């Protein structure tokens, strides 16, 4: 792989990582901590929504993001012809 193609591959990888980490930060920090008091007026499964995001939601989102990362990286690998 030449240097320009390797740089483009790395840029695509970093863009994906940054976007997924931003989603995780939004769910875990913003919804779970900063907006928790406002979200606690809504109930999900008998629990306040702010509490749910802090305790369960961020973990669920993190696991989903792992699968999203794997699927998207498979497509990026195929696009740059570095797949197995």
């Amino acid at each position: 792989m030449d240097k320009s193609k390797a740089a483009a591959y790395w840029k695509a990888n970093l863009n994906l990582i940054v976007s997924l980490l931003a989603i995780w930060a939004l769910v875990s920090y913003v919804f779970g901590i900063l907006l928790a008091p406002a979200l606690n007026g809504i109930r999900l499964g008998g629990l306040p929504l702010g509490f749910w995001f802090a305790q369960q939601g961020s973990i669920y989102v993190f696991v989903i993001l792992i699968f999203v990362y794997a699927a998207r990286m498979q497509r990026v690998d195929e696009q740059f012809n570095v797949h197995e």
Side-chain angles (χ1 to χ4, degrees), residues 11-76:
K11 183 177 179 181
N13 189 2
L14 285 179
N15 286 339
L16 178 60
I17 291 171
V18 167
S19 63
L20 295 179
L21 283 175
I23 292 169
W24 188 41
L26 176 75
V27 170
S28 63
Y29 184 71
V30 175
F31 290 162
I33 297 172
L34 297 179
L35 295 179
L39 292 173
N40 280 338
I42 303 168
R43 302 195 68 77
L44 179 67
L47 298 171
L49 188 59
F51 175 79
W52 185 87
F53 268 112
Q55 299 302 313
Q56 300 295 324
S58 61
I59 295 169
Y60 291 152
V61 169
F62 181 68
V63 170
I64 291 167
L65 290 178
I66 290 171
F67 289 104
V68 169
Y69 175 77
R72 295 285 307 270
M73 275 310 297
Q74 180 65 33
R75 280 192 257 154
V76 170

